[in-house]
Amino acid sequence: MSSLSLDSVSKRYGETTALSDVSLDIEDGEFFTLVGPSGCGKTTTLRAVAGFESPTEGAVRFGGVDVSGVPPEDRDVGIVFQQYSLFPHMTVRENVAYGLQFTDHDYDPDARVADLLDLVGLAGMGDRDPNALSGGQQQRVALARALAPNPDVLLLDEPMSALDARLRERLRREVRRIQAELDVTTLYVTHDQAEALAVSDRVAVMNDGHVEQVGTPQEVYREPATRFVAEFVGENNVFDGRATEAGVEVDGTTFAVPVDARPGESVTLCVRPESMQVGGATNALTGVVDYAEFLGDAVRIGLDWQGQAVVVRVPAIDLDSVPADGDDLTVGFDSDAVVTL
Ligand code: ATP
């Protein structure tokens, strides 16, 4: 196992800047996730760690040692990609054993492969042809193959994006369990913020080639450092206003939110849909119902408030009836539910 760090890594392809001054410190045994929209630089970061790309500037370090110039096959990383990328002409067992061929190790190959198949829940399937497996099973084989040589670092690039939602949820818990059991330093790439929150020790939210925020799932959700993080990680109602003596004024409505800013200064307020309630609260606003979705456990209501979309999510049990489209509806939030940017 090894810690992993990126020190001011930039990567340019001609005119395109894929990564701009990315610095990350990932602890030994940590499950660390890069999350962000398509094209933000997640895969480029992972490829720089794997050694498939050389940074234009900056350094990648494993256990504090600069690995610039170390080719991918000597970096002691295991990789699982989005595509299953198993060898179709080999059995499951041979695919996993393949991972052992290129490294020095003391394992008895047969015992090691059996252990790994057991670990990923495929005991007894060693003789199968990979094509005779489901997508989820194929990714388990790919994971076993990547883990076979006991790598210092495990790199997972959207390994579940080809699977259906239910299977993805199950497999992500499995991956997390296996990672924790082996205590292997893991860098996980996903565009799915809910997945990132669910599995990670910490996440880096990336945008346009740079890191916006690094933190635990709770930190990036509850204390977003930037507007981008506030809007990308979960849903958020973002209100742009100005500080006043009484709080913050947004389009003529004053919310009694205490802020550090001086009167007249711009302030951005973020309120999560689940932090809003139907009916008045310390801070109230009345809008027109654009849509109201009954979700079983909750009702999600979209309001048009003076031209701004506001989303409210309330427990279904709190509502006598689902509001109708076009109704006027007053919703509110408490001042301590607000995050100020
Ligand atoms: P996705 O989720 O869609 O895979 P990503 O966050 O992984 O996106 P990257 O694949 O790292 O993003 O790409 C970051 C930027 O670098 C993009 O603008 C991409 O077009 C560009 N890029 C990546 N590889 C190359 C390359 N070989 N040549 C030129 N530009 C590239």
Side-chain angles (χ1 to χ4, degrees):
M1 308 311 117
S2 174
S3 63
L4 169 64
S5 58
L6 283 84
D7 188 1
S8 299
V9 169
S10 295
K11 179 69 187 177
R12 285 184 289 277
Y13 299 100
E15 297 288 289
T16 308
T17 299
L19 295 178
S20 173
D21 198 20
V22 170
S23 291
L24 298 170
D25 284 301
I26 301 166
E27 288 168 27
D28 194 359
E30 191 171 26
F31 195 114
F32 192 96
T33 299
L34 304 177
V35 65
S38 181
C40 72
K42 305 179 296 290
T43 295
T44 305
T45 306
L46 187 128
R47 289 174 61 81
V49 171
F52 299 137
E53 302 284 357
S54 307
T56 313
E57 281 147 27
V60 175
R61 297 196 173 84
F62 283 29
V65 177
D66 188 342
V67 291
S68 312
V70 178
E73 60 274 20
D74 294 333
R75 287 203 180 186
D76 215 358
V77 296
I79 310 178
V80 181
F81 296 104
Q82 177 179 345
Q83 299 305 330
Y84 311 136
S85 63
L86 299 177
F87 303 114
H89 56 284
M90 293 183 187
T91 63
V92 165
R93 179 178 294 110
E94 287 163 349
N95 264 282
V96 178
Y98 183 86
L100 287 170
Q101 282 184 28
F102 306 100
T103 46
D104 296 330
H105 61 84
D106 300 326
Y107 297 116
D108 166 41
D110 290 343
R112 179 71 181 159
V113 170
D115 282 351
L116 281 156
L117 289 178
D118 198 26
L119 183 72
V120 299
L122 294 178
M125 295 207 186
D127 293 328
R128 289 261 193 113
D129 180 334
N131 294 320
L133 298 177
S134 69
Q137 288 170 329
Q138 290 189 43
Q139 278 306 57
R140 287 163 191 265
V141 178
L143 182 62
R145 183 176 66 187
L147 291 170
N150 194 23
D152 274 347
V153 173
L154 178 64
L155 304 177
L156 304 170
D157 191 358
E158 304 258 11
M160 303 183 218
S161 53
L163 307 176
D164 71 58
R166 198 161 284 214
L167 186 57
R168 226 165 38 220
E169 276 187 28
R170 218 174 67 210
L171 195 60
R172 81 184 182 206
R173 281 195 286 276
E174 277 288 284
V175 167
R176 182 69 235 225
R177 175 189 64 77
I178 291 165
Q179 184 274 341
E181 198 170 318
L182 302 179
D183 204 25
V184 57
T185 309
T186 298
L187 183 61
Y188 186 78
V189 162
T190 181
H191 63 274
D192 180 341
Q193 48 84 29
E195 193 165 277
L197 295 181
V199 297
S200 316
D201 289 319
R202 285 190 304 153
V203 303
V205 183
M206 295 186 72
N207 176 29
D208 201 16
H210 67 272
V211 173
E212 293 264 335
Q213 186 174 4
V214 175
T216 63
Q218 291 88 341
E219 282 166 353
V220 296
Y221 189 84
R222 293 188 183 144
E223 299 155 36
T226 66
R227 186 188 190 106
F228 178 83
V229 176
E231 293 186 313
F232 184 78
V233 180
E235 259 186 316
N236 231 325
N237 294 299
V238 179
F239 301 104
D240 290 313
R242 288 203 176 277
T244 66
E245 298 292 349
V248 176
E249 189 230 298
V250 179
D251 278 346
T253 300
T254 297
F255 297 127
V257 177
V259 286
D260 286 339
R262 284 194 300 277
E265 282 183 356
S266 300
V267 180
T268 299
L269 306 178
C270 305
V271 191
R272 294 284 181 193
E274 70 270 22
S275 297
M276 300 194 78
Q277 62 214 51
V278 170
T282 310
N283 303 291
L285 56 92
T286 301
V288 179
V289 175
D290 187 21
Y291 60 87
E293 299 168 332
F294 177 69
L295 304 173
D297 62 331
V299 178
R300 191 167 173 278
I301 305 163
L303 287 183
D304 179 335
W305 177 59
Q306 307 179 156
Q308 169 161 5
V310 173
V311 180
V312 182
R313 187 186 169 99
V314 286
I317 205 162
D318 290 356
L319 288 185
D320 295 332
S321 60
V322 176
D325 294 1
D327 280 358
D328 281 347
L329 189 71
T330 299
V331 297
F333 55 91
D334 292 331
S335 298
D336 59 7
V338 176
V339 171
T340 312
L341 297 178

